[in-house]
Amino acid sequence: MFFRRLLCTGLVLCSLSFSLQAKVYTVPMLSEANGLLLSQPERALSLTEKYLSQRRLSKPQDPARVHINEESDHTIRTPLNTVNALQIQAKALSILHRSEQAISVVKKAEQIASDNGLIYPLYESRLLLAEFYWENLRNSATALNMLDSIEKESRKAPSLKLTKQLQVLKYRALMLRANIESNIGADEKAEKLYIKAKGYLVALDDQDELINYQLKLGQHYLKHHHYDMALDRLLSGYWLAVETDDQGQIAQANYYLAELFDERKVYDKALDHATQAGEFFERYKRSQQLAKTLTLIASIYEQQGRYNLALVHYFNALDQENQLQHEVRSARLRLNIARVYLHLYNYTKAEQYIVQARNLAQQSGNEKIVAESQILQGQLELAENKLDNAVTSLQAGLISASRIGAIKLQLMGESILSEAFEKQNDYYNALLSQRRYEQLYASKQESIAKSNVEVFKQQQKMMERSLKLEEMEREQFESEKALYKQQKVSMVLIGLLAVMLLLLLRRQHISKQLKEQLSQLRVDYYTHPRSGLRNLRMLNARLANSLQQSSANFEQWHLGEIINEPLSDRLRFALFEATFLKRIYLEQGYKQGLDAEKAFGSYLKEQVLEPARIYHFSDAMFLYIEPNARLSCDPKQLADSLQQLVDNYTLKNNLNNAIQVGMAEYPFLPRAYTAINDQELIDILLMAVNAGLNMNDTDPGSHWVHLCAIDAAPAASFVCGDIRRSCIEGIDKGLVKVRSSSKAEIIWNNDHSTDTKVS
């Protein structure tokens, strides 16, 4: 049953998709308390206590829903929110240095998470407990054992497999383990752990965690005297914190930078950063951090020889440590105060604070402070010229320092002891002390040299990285410059293309308009304005070309270039006059005449189909043209067709259907295609129509006249320049045959001496 509950819980945990960036609290009170941890831990503690006291723990009904965050009822709290509240409360107690209470509260959270099957909050609570054992109690062994246990158990948890929650746990566990290893002196192991943790940090994608990582790694490098690497990391963390405006992280970064610049003897920068950090800790009443910062500022002033300012800050730091009741740090501060008084030649005060520091150190069992107090006591006694007492105190201090391996204290003690022996005129022991000092110094220098080798390697790596970065920046600058130029060229080209496109579109639009205008002009130019049919202009333009083409084809046939005679190029012409149009104008008026002429033109356009063509020759005269492939075609048939065409229109509209038709073929001279041109052909047609009109005077009605030259008609008879006279002479000589609808005699020319009777 328990495993089933674990599985259900795991499935729901996966479905909720816990945020990796930051823990999300659905209860506003808990969210506010979590945000106040760094700045106002007392307020955060008060809010969590209020939340836990005002609400009762709900009883879960479904094991798969015991951790749901939603609390519509404000009188109850879910197990998950209860665990979250206890975790925040434990963190606040830890920050306030109430270690035992913090451990007790987080164990309670662990128990509730275990009872309710909350796997991820369970491991969170255990991880917090390991942090408290290390951060507050400095119990590295217990903390590391707990981390091993968390790592083994989390691998077996079914709800955490293949989820990002496992990555979060691994990252936090690795960071805590790296911090512990760094503090216990395992430099290389800690650095490997930091590098491994960075791989999980990428998955977190959390700016706050990135800042914390940079600061922790910078603190690690600073602790092990890798100053260049420390400066790189701490500055990165500082500027990231500035970008996010995280005041708590900025204060931590300022403190670590102050420590770094202090060790590098850059006191002005150290004071600047330490002062900024102290202002934040003082504003938010962070007593422990404030005490450490005040101690650092005092140490800087002491190294600068500004002893009064150093004393002021040491005393302020001592007040904070007395409130925190931390015996070791209080003892250390009293030693610092004693040393400053010794510099100020106030031996009474110096001895008073040395005794206080030694007593506190003996109570807490801190051998290093005891040894340092003995050496400082010997220095004081040497200054007071109590040489025997000084030698005794210095030797006792050196024995303690040697037992704990404090090289720095041994160096200071041997130097002062050599001076004390020299003042006693015991030059042999003074020389021995000096030699021991030199041996210790050489050993220290060897250690420093090894450290310098590592530092040099790190500097080399940094230099290579810096050079590579500069090269990449240069390449990036060149690439950006080239890209900028390319963008400018592209923009110019795009602009030119846009302009050209606009010009082309405009030209196309104008061309389209001009074509439409030209088309309309052609229509207007070649169309009769009243009937809408092709007009005389088109007739003049088309007829000449058509006749020339026919002549060219005939010549090619005649010369043998074309095998078959081009009969398809022969044309029949019929020029007829619709008398009723004139009468409408005269009898009914201009407007009715226009309407009738328009209607008749539309009618003809519909009835006359290709390849036949019809033209509006003049007011009431129309020219009909059709191909004449058959040489023997009865003109009466064509005249009847035209008469039928007119009858269909006039009978329907009660109009006079009389028409006068003049007809001829092209070529007019069968053996001389080119002898008669277009204008002369039209003149022949006009003669025929006029003959019909003359017949209409004596015999009203429709008449047609057809003129046709005989096959043997010579071209020379028609080249006199007057086609009418040539035709009349041809009729007289029998070269031109005349056929008509009437048997009456046709008088072609009243002045002519010969009359020809048409048969």
Side-chain angles (χ1 to χ4, degrees):
M1 184 65 182
F2 177 73
F3 289 103
R4 183 181 176 185
R5 291 172 64 188
L6 282 180
L7 182 59
C8 293
T9 303
L11 291 173
V12 179
L13 279 170
C14 292
S15 66
L16 288 178
S17 301
F18 282 88
S19 173
L20 293 178
Q21 286 77 5
K23 193 167 183 178
V24 178
Y25 299 94
T26 58
V27 179
M29 188 181 295
L30 294 183
S31 181
E32 182 184 359
N34 185 66
L36 293 171
L37 276 174
L38 289 179
S39 57
Q40 300 180 48
E42 298 89 351
R43 174 65 177 161
L45 181 62
S46 173
L47 287 172
T48 53
E49 289 175 347
K50 181 179 178 182
Y51 174 78
L52 292 170
S53 62
Q54 289 182 350
R55 303 191 183 196
R56 59 182 173 81
L57 183 62
S58 64
K59 294 181 181 180
Q61 298 176 353
D62 183 359
R65 298 189 53 164
V66 294
H67 64 287
I68 297 300
N69 281 336
E70 296 178 359
E71 292 182 356
S72 56
D73 188 352
H74 295 290
T75 62
I76 63 172
R77 47 183 164 85
T78 62
L80 178 59
N81 282 333
T82 302
V83 173
N84 290 336
L86 290 172
Q87 288 178 351
I88 296 171
Q89 190 176 36
K91 291 177 185 177
L93 290 169
S94 174
I95 293 172
L96 295 171
H97 309 290
R98 294 156 63 176
S99 306
E100 294 181 359
Q101 293 181 20
I103 292 173
S104 175
V105 170
V106 81
K107 283 183 177 180
K108 185 178 178 181
E110 180 184 355
Q111 186 62 44
I112 294 174
S114 178
D115 293 342
N116 290 275
L118 304 175
I119 305 302
Y120 183 66
L122 173 63
Y123 289 119
E124 268 191 322
S125 301
R126 290 181 180 176
L127 194 57
L128 274 178
L129 187 59
E131 288 181 9
F132 294 159
Y133 272 111
W134 165 245
E135 296 290 345
N136 297 88
L137 303 179
R138 290 293 165 179
N139 191 337
S140 59
T142 303
L144 288 172
N145 288 334
M146 292 186 69
L147 289 175
D148 292 336
S149 175
I150 292 170
E151 185 177 355
K152 290 178 182 178
E153 293 182 16
S154 63
R155 289 176 181 173
K156 300 176 183 179
S159 62
L160 294 179
K161 286 183 179 179
L162 303 176
T163 67
K164 292 184 178 179
Q165 295 171 353
L166 186 60
Q167 294 179 348
V168 176
L169 288 174
K170 283 185 176 181
Y171 168 74
R172 293 177 181 172
L174 282 170
M175 286 297 292
L176 180 56
R177 191 185 293 274
N179 293 337
I180 295 172
E181 297 291 352
S182 176
N183 277 275
I184 63 178
D187 184 6
E188 294 182 2
K189 189 174 182 180
E191 189 162 356
K192 290 178 181 178
L193 289 169
Y194 280 122
I195 293 172
K196 190 175 180 180
K198 189 176 182 180
Y200 292 100
L201 180 62
V202 176
L204 291 176
D205 192 22
D206 181 4
Q207 193 77 350
D208 291 337
E209 281 295 341
L210 178 59
I211 296 170
N212 180 66
Y213 175 83
Q214 297 285 6
L215 295 181
K216 289 294 183 184
L217 188 55
Q219 190 181 11
H220 161 75
Y221 286 132
L222 176 61
K223 193 184 302 294
H224 296 281
H225 311 294
H226 304 321
Y227 298 118
D228 293 329
M229 299 294 289
L231 181 62
D232 180 43
R233 297 298 178 180
L234 292 176
L235 283 177
S236 297
Y238 173 78
W239 287 114
L240 284 172
V242 170
E243 287 179 7
T244 58
D245 196 25
D246 189 334
Q247 297 299 321
Q249 298 278 32
I250 292 173
Q252 291 291 339
N254 274 319
Y255 178 76
Y256 296 141
L257 285 169
E259 282 190 323
L260 172 61
F261 286 121
D262 175 45
E263 291 197 28
R264 301 300 289 171
K265 310 301 180 184
V266 186
Y267 297 124
D268 55 343
K269 297 290 290 183
L271 274 175
D272 185 24
H273 286 286
T275 303
Q276 293 181 46
E279 290 174 355
F280 175 83
F281 296 138
E282 184 178 10
R283 182 166 64 251
Y284 292 103
K285 298 180 181 179
R286 302 285 296 277
S287 300
Q288 182 178 345
Q289 288 85 350
L290 179 59
K292 290 169 65 178
T293 307
L294 290 171
T295 303
L296 178 60
I297 294 173
S299 174
I300 295 170
Y301 282 135
E302 182 184 353
Q303 293 177 79
Q304 288 180 322
R306 302 160 72 178
Y307 299 118
N308 291 324
L309 287 173
L311 273 179
V312 171
H313 285 82
Y314 276 136
F315 279 123
N316 289 334
L318 185 60
D319 291 339
Q320 298 293 328
E321 293 294 355
N322 287 336
Q323 293 176 10
L324 296 171
Q325 298 179 354
H326 200 291
E327 294 179 351
V328 175
R329 288 197 289 266
S330 295
R332 170 66 61 191
L333 282 170
R334 283 175 168 81
L335 272 183
N336 293 338
I337 293 170
R339 188 173 57 250
V340 175
Y341 275 127
L342 186 58
H343 286 303
L344 293 173
Y345 305 104
N346 191 338
Y347 301 135
T348 303
K349 287 286 186 180
E351 186 172 6
Q352 177 184 342
Y353 280 98
I354 289 172
V355 172
Q356 292 178 8
R358 186 185 303 121
N359 292 335
L360 287 172
Q362 288 173 348
Q363 290 175 12
S364 60
N366 193 305
E367 293 186 15
K368 185 175 181 180
I369 294 179
V370 171
E372 189 173 353
S373 66
Q374 289 172 335
I375 292 173
L376 192 58
Q377 179 71 34
Q379 187 178 2
L380 173 63
E381 290 169 345
L382 179 62
E384 292 177 336
N385 210 22
K386 299 176 182 179
L387 300 179
D388 293 335
N389 293 337
V391 169
T392 302
S393 298
L394 288 169
Q395 287 176 338
L398 283 169
I399 292 170
S400 298
S402 177
R403 184 168 57 250
I404 63 175
I407 303 296
K408 189 175 181 180
L409 285 178
Q410 288 179 264
L411 284 169
M412 184 174 68
E414 293 292 354
S415 176
I416 298 171
L417 183 60
S418 176
E419 185 180 351
F421 280 131
E422 188 176 351
K423 283 189 176 183
Q424 286 182 332
N425 296 322
D426 188 353
Y427 297 111
Y428 177 75
N429 285 321
L431 183 60
L432 289 177
S433 293
Q434 185 63 30
R435 285 180 178 176
R436 286 195 295 272
Y437 173 84
E438 290 174 356
Q439 289 173 356
L440 289 169
Y441 184 78
S443 176
K444 183 181 179 182
Q445 288 300 112
E446 185 178 351
S447 176
I448 292 174
K450 290 181 180 179
S451 176
N452 287 338
V453 170
E454 294 298 323
V455 170
F456 178 75
K457 289 180 180 178
Q458 292 171 0
Q459 287 177 341
Q460 181 184 7
K461 290 180 181 178
M462 289 186 65
M463 184 64 69
E464 290 175 353
R465 187 174 68 176
S466 177
L467 290 173
K468 188 174 181 180
L469 183 61
E470 288 179 1
E471 179 65 19
M472 291 174 66
E473 288 178 349
R474 186 188 65 79
E475 291 178 357
Q476 182 183 6
F477 176 75
E478 294 294 333
S479 299
E480 289 178 351
K481 187 177 179 181
L483 181 61
Y484 178 70
K485 288 182 178 178
Q486 188 175 3
Q487 286 177 343
K488 287 179 67 177
V489 172
S490 299
M491 291 301 294
V492 171
L493 290 176
I494 290 172
L496 289 175
L497 287 174
V499 172
M500 291 176 65
L501 181 61
L502 290 174
L503 289 174
L504 288 173
L505 290 174
R506 178 172 173 79
R507 286 176 62 87
Q508 184 180 8
H509 179 68
I510 293 173
S511 176
K512 184 178 179 181
Q513 285 184 331
L514 291 175
K515 285 181 179 179
E516 290 176 355
Q517 291 177 6
L518 180 60
S519 177
Q520 187 62 40
L521 286 173
R522 282 177 176 170
V523 171
D524 294 341
Y525 187 76
Y526 290 119
T527 302
H528 197 282
R530 296 197 299 274
S531 65
L533 295 174
R534 297 179 179 92
N535 61 8
L536 188 59
R537 291 193 188 95
M538 179 171 282
L539 177 63
N540 293 331
R542 294 282 182 88
L543 185 58
N545 294 332
S546 179
L547 298 185
Q548 287 176 6
Q549 183 64 38
S550 298
S551 299
N553 290 340
F554 174 77
E555 288 178 357
Q556 288 176 349
W557 167 77
H558 186 70
L559 295 173
E561 296 178 7
I562 297 178
I563 297 175
N564 297 319
E565 183 180 357
L567 300 178
S568 60
D569 293 325
R570 298 177 182 274
L571 300 174
R572 274 201 308 183
F573 291 79
L575 182 64
F576 67 92
E577 182 185 59
T579 311
F580 68 89
L581 290 177
K582 290 182 178 180
R583 292 186 176 277
I584 291 175
Y585 276 103
L586 296 172
E587 295 174 0
Q588 299 182 21
Y590 182 69
K591 185 176 183 306
Q592 286 75 9
L594 288 177
D595 295 339
E597 197 166 2
K598 184 69 175 176
F600 185 63
S602 301
Y603 168 75
L604 292 178
K605 191 183 297 183
E606 292 176 0
Q607 297 298 319
V608 178
L609 303 177
E610 294 291 342
R613 305 188 298 274
I614 191 164
Y615 296 89
H616 195 150
F617 184 79
S618 63
D619 289 344
M621 297 184 71
F622 299 90
L623 177 64
Y624 175 81
I625 304 173
E626 67 176 11
N628 185 24
R630 293 171 297 175
L631 292 176
S632 59
C633 180
D634 187 6
K636 184 177 184 303
Q637 182 181 357
L638 176 59
D640 290 343
S641 298
L642 293 176
Q643 183 64 56
Q644 184 64 39
L645 182 67
V646 174
D647 289 346
N648 291 338
Y649 179 79
T650 55
L651 295 176
K652 181 175 61 176
N653 295 288
N654 279 331
L655 298 173
N656 183 8
N657 64 345
I659 61 173
Q660 314 303 323
V661 184
M663 292 177 286
E665 282 81 23
Y666 182 84
F668 187 73
L669 298 177
R671 293 186 179 182
Y673 272 49
T674 58
I676 305 297
N677 60 26
D678 55 326
Q679 294 181 359
E680 292 173 335
L681 181 64
I682 291 174
D683 216 358
I684 293 171
L685 292 172
L686 288 172
M687 281 179 60
V689 172
N690 184 53
L693 290 173
N694 291 334
M695 288 189 293
N696 186 52
D697 292 339
T698 58
D699 184 12
S702 297
H703 296 279
W704 58 268
V705 177
H706 176 260
L707 298 180
C708 177
I710 63 174
D711 293 340
S717 300
F718 295 88
V719 294
C720 66
D722 186 350
I723 192 62
R724 283 176 172 261
R725 181 177 178 182
S726 297
C727 284
I728 293 171
E729 290 178 354
I731 293 171
D732 291 342
K733 295 176 182 179
L735 298 177
V736 177
K737 294 190 296 182
V738 179
R739 300 178 66 185
S740 71
S741 59
S742 175
K743 299 297 182 178
E745 183 180 356
I746 299 175
I747 304 302
W748 294 100
N749 191 340
N750 293 330
D751 296 332
H752 203 276
S753 58
T754 305
D755 293 338
T756 304
K757 182 179 180 180
V758 180
S759 59

